[in-house]
């Protein structure tokens, strides 16, 4: 799916309330997770809510705290002199069911995550690991006859309209799927040794291994009857894990229960006995429950409360997150409305980002580029400052230019300005349930109305539905957000 983004807010912040209540069981944490995660399978998950749960139930080769990489399942690692081979030595550890966790579990997990048949939302990340053969396996394509050069032809609905020229070989490499899989540069010489071969030295590779996509999953759980397409990770009888907690209950749309995993290799350091997680995606509802003493931790609060809480409440904490909030245009909608570059620029220029962050009141920074401040380049300088803004401004000083571009776009699209306004008014700006998302959408809607003279409809949906619709391209304009997965600018550009 083709899309282009409007940058709204860079350097996002996490806003949370953590209670300090005397006289209650401090070994049980009552945590509002937010929306019901689409999946809890580390290899399939692509959202922060699922990732928050996964980070409590699984553990990768390493862990990262405040930019410092610490040993996880790997107790040590060695990089070759040329930087292209990394050998991890795994500690003796077991799964939550008591069975041995070995290097072969990582090989199985990673190959599954790369496999085109798995259709992982995060499979693209393997391109940036620089693992030998990973790129070719992830993007295995068989749409042509490698001998004759004849290619498959599809209509706009993706239906094959020609003869099928697929020959079982990748169109670029000529390898079979099995050969492509075998060529991936990961191996397990023994139970405690994992060897990774890289195309090029990759300085961030080890730190990237702390990300949930690279955490191991147990083959027998993944392939169990009833566990298909990641469902195993939401079923307590199938959900075998290796992290500090294990899943013991899951109720769709309501919540889950995590209990201490006594088989975790560092179980003695885990003080909580249980986590009771709620799926409340309405910030006001969660906030009321927190104030009523029914929740100990909530990850966000109503936007209207932020300023007061920052000033008055010691239980309110603000954490900086390296990420960017944006809107995506769908290039694949039937009328091709957003194909015109001048229209996209006009819509982007007609947003006052400073006004948005002031309304949100949480210390966000207006986005003038997709890379937020905080990343260093190869010379140790801030990437954001060095890259520049390419003419993007954070205030309203581009409004006049937006009006001009809008008129020029209409002419290029062979429409009157009035017709273009009508077409945009018939489109929808989609977002998932959240006070903050609703506020941003309303501010953008009003800005477009005041500057360009049309009012786009707003469409709100629950998180699980929104994720599927956005992934499948069922939107015109949709909100999005990206938090970096590792401390390198490529983590935002990937």
């Amino acid at each position: 799916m083709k899309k282009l983004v409007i940058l709204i807010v860079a350097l996002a912040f996490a806003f949370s309330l953590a209670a300090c209540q005397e006289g209650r069981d401090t070994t049980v944490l009552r945590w509002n997770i937010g929306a019901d995660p689409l999946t809890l399978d580390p290899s399939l998950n692509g959202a922060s809510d699922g990732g928050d749960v996964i980070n409590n139930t699984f553990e990768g080769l390493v862990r990262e705290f405040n930019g410092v990489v610490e040993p996880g399942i790997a107790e040590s690692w060695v990089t070759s002199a040329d930087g292209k081979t990394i050998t991890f030595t795994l500690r003796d550890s077991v799964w939550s069911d008591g069975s041995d966790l070995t290097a072969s579990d990582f090989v199985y997990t990673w190959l599954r995550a790369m496999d085109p048949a798995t259709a992982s939302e995060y499979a693209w990340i393997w391109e940036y690991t620089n693992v030998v053969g990973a790129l070719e396996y992830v993007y295995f394509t068989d749409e042509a006859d490698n001998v004759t050069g004849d290619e498959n032809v599809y209509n706009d609905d993706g239906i094959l309209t020609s003869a099928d020229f697929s020959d079982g070989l990748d169109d670029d490499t000529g390898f079979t799927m099995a050969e492509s899989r075998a060529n991936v540069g990961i191996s397990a010489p023994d139970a405690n040794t994992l060897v990774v071969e890289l195309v090029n030295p990759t300085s961030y590779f080890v730190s990237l291994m702390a990300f949930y996509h690279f955490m191991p999953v147990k083959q027998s759980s993944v392939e169990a009857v009833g566990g298909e397409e990641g469902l195993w990770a939401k079923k307590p009888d199938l959900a075998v894990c290796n992290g500090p907690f294990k899943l013991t209950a899951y109720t769709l749309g309501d919540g889950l229960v995590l209990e201490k995993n006594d088989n975790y290799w560092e179980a003695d350091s885990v003080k909580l006995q249980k986590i009771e997680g709620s799926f409340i995606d309405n910030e006001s509802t969660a906030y009321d429950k927190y104030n009523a003493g029914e929740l100990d931790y909530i990850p966000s609060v109503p936007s209207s409360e932020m300023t007061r809480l920052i000033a008055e409440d010691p239980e309110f904490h603000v954490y900086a997150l390296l990420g960017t909030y944006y809107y995506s245009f769908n290039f694949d909608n039937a009328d091709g409305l957003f194909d015109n570059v001048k229209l996209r620029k006009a819509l982007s220029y007609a947003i006052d980002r400073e006004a948005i962050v002031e309304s949100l009141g949480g210390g966000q920074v207006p986005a003038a580029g997709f890379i937020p401040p905080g990343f260093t380049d190869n010379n140790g300088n801030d990437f954001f400052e060095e890259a520049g803004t390419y003419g993007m401004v954070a205030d309203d000083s581009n409004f006049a230019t937006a009006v001009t571009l809008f008129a020029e776009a209409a002419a290029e699209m062979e429409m009157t300005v009035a017709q273009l306004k009508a077409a945009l008014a018939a489109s929808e700006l989609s977002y998932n349930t959240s006070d903050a998302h609703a506020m941003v959408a309303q501010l953008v809607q009003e800005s477009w109305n005041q500057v360009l003279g049309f009012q786009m409809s707003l469409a709100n949906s629950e998180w699980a539905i929104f994720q599927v619709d956005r992934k499948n391209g069922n939107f015109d304009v949709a909100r999005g957000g990206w938090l970096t997965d590792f401390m390198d600018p490529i983590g935002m550009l990937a």
Side-chain angles (χ1 to χ4, degrees):
M1 181 182 65
K2 296 177 291 182
K3 61 184 180 181
L4 190 121
V5 300
I6 295 178
L7 309 177
I8 306 294
V9 178
L11 189 59
F13 285 80
F15 307 98
S16 63
L17 277 167
C20 298
Q21 299 178 11
E22 297 181 0
R24 64 169 303 273
D25 187 354
T26 57
T27 66
V28 178
L29 175 69
R30 299 169 301 175
W31 165 35
N32 180 39
I33 295 166
D36 189 339
L38 186 64
T39 181
L40 297 179
D41 184 326
S43 302
L44 301 183
N45 181 65
S48 58
D49 46 21
D52 290 340
V53 177
I54 291 167
N55 281 326
N56 282 284
T57 52
F58 291 87
E59 183 163 288
L61 294 170
V62 299
R63 302 178 292 192
E64 185 173 351
F65 296 102
N66 298 321
V68 178
V69 176
E70 299 181 356
I73 299 303
E75 59 184 3
S76 63
W77 51 91
V78 176
T79 302
S80 62
D82 64 2
K84 294 164 61 175
T85 301
I86 304 177
T87 302
F88 294 92
T89 299
L90 277 56
R91 67 180 74 253
D92 290 330
S93 65
V94 297
W95 293 100
S96 56
D97 65 356
S99 59
D100 289 340
L101 192 161
T102 70
S104 294
D105 291 313
F106 281 92
V107 174
Y108 165 77
T109 300
W110 291 3
L111 290 175
R112 171 182 177 253
M114 295 180 206
D115 191 339
T118 303
S120 170
E121 189 173 340
Y122 248 93
W124 58 265
I125 201 170
W126 286 99
E127 180 176 352
Y128 300 93
T129 64
N130 287 321
V131 171
V132 168
L135 180 63
E136 291 77 12
Y137 187 35
V138 168
Y139 296 116
F140 183 94
T141 303
D142 180 16
E143 297 289 350
D145 185 314
N146 284 38
V147 176
T148 67
D150 293 325
E151 298 182 359
N152 294 344
V153 178
Y154 299 86
N155 63 20
D156 291 340
D157 295 322
I159 298 174
L160 183 67
T161 58
S162 68
D164 187 351
F165 295 109
S166 303
D167 59 1
L169 304 177
D170 183 84
D171 297 336
D172 292 323
T173 66
F175 294 132
T176 64
M177 180 72 81
E179 289 170 334
S180 296
R181 180 184 178 93
N183 290 337
V184 175
I186 52 176
S187 60
D190 59 59
N192 293 86
T193 305
L194 179 68
V195 179
V196 181
E197 304 289 344
L198 304 177
V199 177
N200 298 303
T202 306
S203 60
Y204 54 77
F205 183 87
V206 173
S207 65
L208 182 57
M209 295 302 101
F211 185 53
Y212 55 72
H213 183 78
F214 303 99
M215 295 177 180
V217 296
K218 188 173 183 183
Q219 184 172 0
S220 59
S221 290
V222 173
E223 299 177 0
V225 175
E228 298 83 0
E229 298 182 354
L231 289 176
W232 66 272
K234 287 187 175 183
K235 296 184 175 183
D237 58 328
L238 298 179
V240 176
C241 58
N242 74 318
F245 297 92
K246 60 184 180 181
L247 181 74
T248 58
Y250 191 100
T251 303
L252 183 67
D254 184 43
L256 55 76
V257 176
L258 306 178
E259 295 185 11
K260 182 177 178 178
N261 174 18
D262 292 328
N263 285 322
Y264 176 53
W265 72 272
E266 204 176 18
D268 290 345
S269 67
V270 180
K271 305 307 178 185
L272 289 175
Q273 294 297 317
K274 181 189 291 187
I275 298 175
E276 297 173 352
S278 299
F279 301 147
I280 305 171
D281 62 359
N282 184 290
E283 292 159 348
S284 297
T285 301
Y287 183 59
D288 289 342
K289 286 184 174 292
Y290 176 87
N291 286 326
E294 298 175 28
L295 291 170
D296 302 313
Y297 178 86
I298 56 176
S300 58
V301 298
S303 299
S304 59
E305 298 288 342
M306 284 187 189
T307 302
R308 181 187 65 80
L309 290 170
I310 290 173
E312 301 175 4
D313 198 330
E315 294 181 354
F316 185 68
H317 302 273
V318 179
Y319 302 97
L321 300 173
L322 282 172
T324 301
Y325 190 102
Y326 58 87
Y327 282 165
S328 298
F329 299 117
N330 188 353
F331 284 12
D332 289 334
N333 55 4
D335 56 11
L337 184 62
F338 300 109
D339 290 355
N340 187 280
V341 64
K342 288 184 178 178
L343 174 59
R344 299 195 303 270
K345 284 186 175 181
L347 294 172
S348 184
Y349 286 178
I351 297 173
D352 185 343
R353 293 155 179 78
E354 288 186 353
I356 290 176
V357 299
E358 288 174 6
S359 296
L360 291 172
Q364 296 92 343
V365 177
F370 202 80
I371 308 294
F375 291 96
T376 56
D377 62 17
N378 59 315
N379 295 316
N381 301 315
D382 188 279
F383 187 94
F384 175 83
E385 294 179 359
E386 293 295 312
T389 62
Y390 300 95
M392 183 64 67
V393 298
D395 57 17
D396 61 2
S397 58
N398 269 344
F399 281 7
T401 303
V403 173
T404 300
L405 288 169
F406 192 80
E408 292 175 354
E412 290 181 1
M413 299 167 72
E414 298 183 346
M415 304 170 72
T416 66
V417 169
Q419 288 173 329
L420 181 53
K421 290 179 181 179
L424 290 165
S427 301
E428 289 186 335
L429 194 167
S430 302
Y431 62 93
N432 58 291
T433 304
S434 161
D435 292 345
H437 297 331
M439 177 181 289
V440 174
Q442 290 161 8
L443 289 168
V444 171
Q445 178 194 50
E446 179 59 23
S447 188
W448 284 343
N449 190 21
Q450 290 184 356
V451 179
L452 301 176
F454 71 90
Q455 183 160 309
M456 186 176 289
S457 299
L458 302 183
N460 170 49
S461 58
E462 298 303 311
W463 178 228
I465 297 172
F466 177 79
Q467 288 183 85
V468 173
D469 283 344
R470 188 174 59 182
K471 181 179 180 180
N472 293 337
N474 299 325
F475 69 92
D476 298 315
V477 182
R479 84 98 196 160
W482 192 259
L483 301 175
T484 189
D485 301 322
F486 52 102
M487 286 302 298
D488 190 279
I490 197 66
M492 292 296 297
L493 297 174

